[in-house]
Amino acid sequence: SKEVNKLRVELGLELEEQKGLALESQVKLQEQKIEQDAWLRRGLAAVLVLSLLAISFLTFALLQAGKVKRSRARMQRILDHIEEGILTIGKNLTVESTLSPYLNKLLGFNVDEKRDVFNQLLAVSSLNSDEKSTISNILKMSIGEDIITWEVNQEQLPRELYMPLEKRFLSLLWQPLDD
């Protein structure tokens, strides 16, 4: 019986040791899980912060785009109602954009984009061939070049153009645009 009691005590100790080892193993697994969960929470928090920053940036960009759109619409309303003919031309002297509908009324013909307005306009003006050639050459060599090229030559461009068929003058204002 003494031996049986001794065996029971030894078995009890072994059992308790195994339980202790099992508990230590479970504690380690739980600590690892807690650490993994902490990393996951940090990662999710970082994703959340980045998402909020992205949403803020996109909201700001949309607000700015709205302001630009409203500003352009306002500018277009002004240009639609101004009694001035405004257009932009490219290096080959064709119209890149007509900026005011009044231009067609002033010129007496419809100005389509990519159309060679200057040759049409100069053809119906009272300018002689040398004057027409000078205007074309100045514009061709100035458009898209340094501003100094424009400044040196702009005084040679006419400030008004007489239209003999319509018996009227057109005032001209030449202005380079910076890109």
Side-chain angles (χ1 to χ4, degrees):
S1 88
K2 215 176 179 185
E3 285 188 28
V4 171
N5 282 341
K6 187 177 177 183
L7 278 175
R8 281 187 187 166
V9 169
E10 286 178 11
L11 281 175
L13 285 175
E14 277 184 40
L15 187 60
E16 289 301 317
E17 281 180 21
Q18 287 177 358
K19 283 182 183 178
L21 290 174
L23 283 174
E24 280 181 32
S25 176
Q26 285 179 348
V27 166
K28 284 182 183 179
L29 287 174
Q30 285 181 346
E31 286 174 350
Q32 287 175 349
K33 186 169 178 8
I34 289 171
E35 189 175 325
Q36 288 174 349
D37 288 348
W39 278 104
L40 181 62
R41 279 193 302 276
R42 287 184 205 118
L44 289 175
V47 167
L48 178 64
V49 167
L50 290 174
S51 297
L52 289 174
L53 286 172
I55 289 170
S56 297
F57 177 75
L58 289 174
T59 302
F60 177 75
L62 285 172
L63 290 172
Q64 292 301 92
K67 286 180 182 178
V68 169
K69 186 176 180 180
R70 286 187 299 278
S71 177
R72 285 185 179 171
R74 183 173 186 270
M75 182 60 70
Q76 190 58 52
R77 283 192 308 275
I78 291 168
L79 290 171
D80 287 346
H81 294 93
I82 193 170
E83 291 190 359
E84 297 284 334
I86 303 170
L87 59 86
T88 60
I89 59 168
K91 186 104 176 137
N92 57 1
L93 302 186
T94 58
V95 176
E96 287 185 343
S97 63
T98 56
L99 301 175
S100 86
Y102 196 75
L103 181 66
N104 294 332
K105 183 177 179 180
L106 282 175
L107 298 181
F109 57 86
N110 285 335
V111 177
D112 298 325
E113 290 186 12
K114 306 298 182 211
R115 190 168 175 183
D116 187 359
V117 172
F118 284 99
N119 283 333
Q120 281 185 295
L121 187 58
L122 295 177
V124 296
S125 74
S126 63
L127 297 174
N128 64 42
S129 61
D130 287 339
E131 292 169 319
K132 293 175 187 178
S133 177
T134 299
I135 292 170
S136 292
N137 288 333
I138 289 172
L139 292 175
K140 284 179 183 176
M141 75 176 181
S142 297
I143 294 174
E145 299 300 325
D146 291 336
I147 193 70
I148 191 76
T149 306
W150 174 260
E151 289 172 355
V152 167
N153 292 293
Q154 72 175 337
E155 292 302 318
Q156 297 179 53
L157 295 170
R159 298 291 177 228
E160 64 181 18
L161 197 60
Y162 182 65
M163 312 296 285
L165 294 176
E166 298 169 14
K167 295 183 171 118
R168 66 185 173 118
F169 285 91
L170 291 179
S171 291
L172 304 175
L173 175 64
W174 307 90
Q175 184 66 44
L177 297 177
D178 293 330
D179 287 334

